[in-house]
């Protein structure tokens, strides 16, 4: 389990340390626009599977497993 900002997220994606994404999307941005992670999720995780999308009122949860399992 890793929770962090843009720098941590970018590092663990680039090092292929993720086997499951749980991405929460909410209609509120806390912090500045520059705090949003700039991560290229197409490399190396171009084969996500078992993708589910769940809505909680105005929030959205996207879950997906990577091709590294």
């Amino acid at each position: 389990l890793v929770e962090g900002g843009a720098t941590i997220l970018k590092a663990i994606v680039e090092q292929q340390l993720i086997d499951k994404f749980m991405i929460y999307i909410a209609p509120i941005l806390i912090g500045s626009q520059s705090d949003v992670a700039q991560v290229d999720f197409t490399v190396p995780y171009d084969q996500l599977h078992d993708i589910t999308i769940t809505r909680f009122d105005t929030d959205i949860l996207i879950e997906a497993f990577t091709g590294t399992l």
Side-chain angles (χ1 to χ4, degrees):
L1 173 64
V2 175
E3 180 181 358
T7 303
I8 297 290
L9 178 60
K10 183 174 173 47
I12 63 174
V13 168
E14 288 176 350
Q15 294 180 34
Q16 301 182 31
L17 298 175
I18 298 174
D19 57 1
K20 180 181 181 182
F21 284 97
M22 294 180 71
I23 302 167
Y24 289 89
I25 302 171
I28 289 179
L29 179 62
I30 299 173
S32 69
Q33 185 83 18
S34 63
D35 292 335
V36 177
Q38 299 298 315
V39 179
D40 181 0
F41 286 103
T42 60
V43 178
Y45 298 112
D46 59 347
Q47 296 195 8
L48 296 176
H49 58 89
D50 297 327
I51 299 169
T52 60
I53 300 172
T54 307
R55 184 173 176 183
F56 303 96
D57 294 321
T58 59
D59 299 343
I60 297 171
L61 167 61
I62 301 170
E63 296 178 273
F65 288 90
T66 68
T68 61
L69 291 176

